[in-house]
Amino acid sequence: MAVIGKDLARAKELLLQGELVAIPTETVYGLAGNALDAQAVVKIFTVKNRPQFDPLIVHVANRAQAEKLVESIPPAAKELMTRYWPGPLTFLLPKKPLIPDLVTAGLATVGIRCPDHPLTHALLSSLDFPLAAPSANPFGYVSPTTPGHVNAQLGNQVKYILDGGPCRVGLESTIIGFENEPTIYRLGGLGVEEIEKVIGPVKIDLNTSSNPKAPGQLKSHYAPRKKLVVTNLKPISSSYTTQRVGVLAFKEYAVGVKHDQQIVLSPAGNLEEAAKNLFSALRSLDTLEIDLILAEPVPEYGLGKAINDRLRRAAAQ
Ligand code: TXA
Ligand code: MG
């Protein structure tokens, strides 16, 4: 198993050696390596069992670092960076040649993000290279939001997990690109409304084809191992009551299923709280003696859009 701790010097030492370290961010834990070292990047793909057509997000300490990695930053992106960085927003921008093609899966753009977590900020500030970091889970599975989640799945392959506690946001970053018009490619930890407040209406392109622009757009992704169905729980349809079911509810327990087989995401009906608890809840339900997870859709605004998106992808088999 990996060592879990807060030793920044140890994390830095490993990264300088071309090794991987799991790092905390406000969204989910990342599996980080030197983004400018193709051999370190290869390790990321290997450990995650990730297909090489799936590009990685590059993490920086600040905008000045980002400017060294991309050819240009459009005005709308600059406005969003000023307002929301550090934070859960990833920008697709034209890459400079110093970023290995493996990082971007051969694409001309690179995903860049400045995460909002004090430990990871200190780590990034102490390095003279940026960190490529996908979510620290096997490809296709639910993202980790605690050091324990990372250790359970990748602990045999990662030496060190930097312990930043449970993730504050709990959903991966929102991804935005600017090729023709501002377009959101992945709903995430920053609500669409927050983005539109700064730059006006944006296009949303959550392609679910088999050849997506971002594999986070794959129809089936972010999925627990158990079968999951998104359905209304008031009442639970009689077609499910004969099966061993677990329930993922938004505000209150569903009638007809034992409470220890249910998780309520936010008794107060708060979407931020629900987002923060979502991935832990899916992991817990995945360990129960049940055959099926019934998940209730949440209100479709703010972070609710991203939560429902993750539930739909978790349901696609
Ligand atoms: O919150 C997050 O973004 C977390 C933390 C660790 O920062 N990272 C994360 O990385 O979710 P990952 O690799 O699990 O998801 C990144 C998504 C993938 O769906 C990938 O295809 C897409 O971003 N992506 C990265 N670079 C891209 C590019 N140049 N063009 C299109 N999509 C890109
Ligand atoms: Mg991921």
Side-chain angles (χ1 to χ4, degrees):
M1 283 292 160
V3 175
I4 300 178
K6 296 182 195 293
D7 186 349
L8 280 171
R10 177 69 179 138
K12 182 176 174 181
E13 180 189 18
L14 286 165
L15 290 165
L16 285 169
Q17 290 166 358
E19 296 292 334
L20 308 184
V21 172
I23 57 167
T25 82
E26 79 283 28
T27 59
V28 301
Y29 273 74
L31 178 64
N34 179 350
L36 305 184
D37 173 356
Q39 281 179 323
V41 174
V42 167
K43 287 183 189 163
I44 296 177
F45 282 92
T46 307
V47 167
K48 268 196 71 115
N49 196 15
R50 180 177 177 119
Q52 296 208 346
F53 62 76
D54 189 357
L56 305 178
I57 293 175
V58 173
H59 296 71
V60 294
N62 49 48
R63 194 202 289 188
Q65 266 195 14
E67 281 165 357
K68 293 186 189 144
L69 305 173
V70 300
E71 297 289 357
S72 58
I73 306 179
K78 284 188 181 155
E79 284 176 53
L80 288 169
M81 283 178 186
T82 302
R83 178 71 184 78
Y84 294 120
W85 266 16
L89 184 57
T90 294
F91 295 87
L92 302 182
L93 298 169
K95 84 174 193 79
K96 281 194 175 149
L98 86 159
I99 296 180
D101 287 330
L102 190 60
V103 170
T104 62
L107 295 173
T109 58
V110 58
I112 305 254
R113 172 165 118 76
C114 177
D116 186 14
H117 192 289
L119 267 186
T120 291
H121 183 77
L123 180 65
L124 284 166
S125 304
S126 77
L127 296 167
D128 62 1
F129 50 82
L131 292 175
S135 53
N137 53 279
F139 182 70
Y141 194 70
V142 179
S143 294
T145 53
T146 68
H149 292 166
V150 181
N151 212 11
Q153 289 185 307
L154 300 183
N156 291 333
Q157 296 169 86
V158 186
K159 287 196 185 124
Y160 199 72
I161 301 172
L162 197 55
D163 183 358
C167 298
R168 175 172 59 79
V169 175
L171 290 173
E172 302 86 350
S173 60
T174 303
I175 299 181
I176 188 164
F178 301 86
E179 253 166 350
N180 297 308
E181 55 195 299
T183 304
I184 288 175
Y185 294 104
R186 177 172 76 180
L187 298 169
L190 184 67
V192 177
E193 297 90 340
E194 305 303 312
I195 290 171
E196 293 189 326
K197 265 186 223 164
V198 175
I199 60 168
V202 295
K203 201 174 135 189
I204 297 181
D205 178 6
L206 313 173
N207 194 335
T208 55
S209 74
S210 58
N211 184 21
K213 192 170 175 97
Q217 298 178 318
L218 284 174
K219 199 160 171 256
S220 170
H221 211 73
Y222 311 107
R225 310 256 181 257
K226 297 241 156 68
K227 187 170 155 44
L228 181 145
V229 173
V230 183
T231 179
N232 192 341
L233 300 175
K234 292 177 194 152
I236 294 180
S237 155
S238 57
S239 60
Y240 297 125
T241 47
T242 53
Q243 304 184 50
R244 298 191 307 168
V245 298
V247 163
L248 183 65
F250 175 44
K251 283 201 288 196
E252 40 196 48
Y253 287 111
V255 175
V257 174
K258 281 191 282 179
H259 283 197
D260 60 7
Q261 285 170 214
Q262 300 200 43
I263 294 180
V264 176
L265 287 175
S266 171
N270 176 302
L271 288 166
E272 280 75 28
E273 184 183 25
K276 185 175 172 175
N277 292 331
L278 177 67
F279 290 154
S280 277
L282 284 172
R283 281 171 186 262
S284 299
L285 289 169
D286 223 6
T287 66
L288 295 181
E289 299 279 313
I290 55 174
D291 302 314
L292 180 66
I293 301 169
L294 302 178
E296 176 179 44
V298 304
E300 182 74 17
Y301 58 82
L303 293 190
K305 284 188 191 143
I307 295 173
N308 288 334
D309 170 84
R310 299 301 186 273
L311 291 177
R312 277 191 296 273
R313 288 178 210 272
Q317 298 277 325

